[in-house]
Amino acid sequence: MLTADDKKLISQIWTKVAEHGKEFGGEALERMFITYPQTKTYFPHFDLHVGSEQVRSHGEKVVNALSNAVKNLDNLSQALAELSNLHAYNLRVDPVNFKLLSQCFQVVLAVHLGKEYTPEVHSAYDKFLSAVASVLAEKYR
């Protein structure tokens, strides 16, 4: 899973990401809605236009949840248990959407971090976001 080097890279880069939570999270959601329009079905009450305050605010929530995961890299299941329950039992979000959002989030990281988003950082974040998606999908099994 995540190596010590992966965890170090994730934590180092996350300090830069967390400063732009609303921007990065909102952009990741916008990318997901445009690239995978079927994901919009979970947000019928949102204004889904680019730059929407509702999308940006929800993006900030996503980044805040990921911040919690970064702080708890050694125990993601416990750190994300409440969120996993919410998505599985109340919202009934298709777990495939977690992977789709992860892909979009990585694109946002690459765009905004530029040269800092090295292949090693990309690999670490791919593992991390895959682990988060897996934990969020646990309750579906």
Side-chain angles (χ1 to χ4, degrees):
M1 199 78 199
L2 292 172
T3 67
D5 286 340
D6 291 334
K7 292 174 186 177
K8 182 179 175 184
L9 288 171
I10 290 164
S11 295
Q12 286 174 343
I13 292 296
W14 195 256
T15 60
K16 296 173 184 181
V17 174
E19 294 173 1
H20 305 282
K22 200 170 202 175
E23 178 187 356
F24 287 13
E27 186 177 327
L29 285 170
E30 288 171 355
R31 285 178 179 277
M32 183 179 73
F33 295 147
I34 291 167
T35 308
Y36 308 104
Q38 71 274 16
T39 61
K40 293 179 185 180
T41 61
Y42 297 98
F43 298 90
H45 55 290
F46 271 34
D47 169 11
L48 297 178
H49 294 95
V50 173
S52 159
E53 186 56 33
Q54 287 178 308
V55 172
R56 289 172 45 83
S57 291
H58 193 72
E60 186 174 34
K61 288 180 184 179
V62 169
V63 170
N64 289 341
L66 290 173
S67 289
N68 183 42
V70 169
K71 291 175 191 168
N72 295 282
L73 289 172
D74 293 321
N75 198 354
L76 290 176
S77 289
Q78 184 177 353
L80 299 173
E82 187 177 320
L83 200 54
S84 180
N85 285 334
L86 173 69
H87 283 82
Y89 301 127
N90 295 40
L91 303 174
R92 299 189 177 164
V93 173
D94 184 341
V96 169
N97 292 343
F98 304 133
K99 292 178 184 179
L100 300 178
L101 183 56
S102 293
Q103 292 169 357
C104 293
F105 196 75
Q106 287 191 72
V107 171
V108 170
L109 293 178
V111 168
H112 288 281
L113 297 175
K115 291 180 182 179
E116 289 182 272
Y117 200 67
T118 64
E120 293 80 15
V121 171
H122 182 166
S123 175
Y125 268 86
D126 189 49
K127 290 181 203 176
F128 167 62
L129 293 171
S130 292
V132 167
S134 180
V135 167
L136 291 176
E138 280 178 354
K139 305 293 186 203
Y140 292 85
R141 298 179 192 139

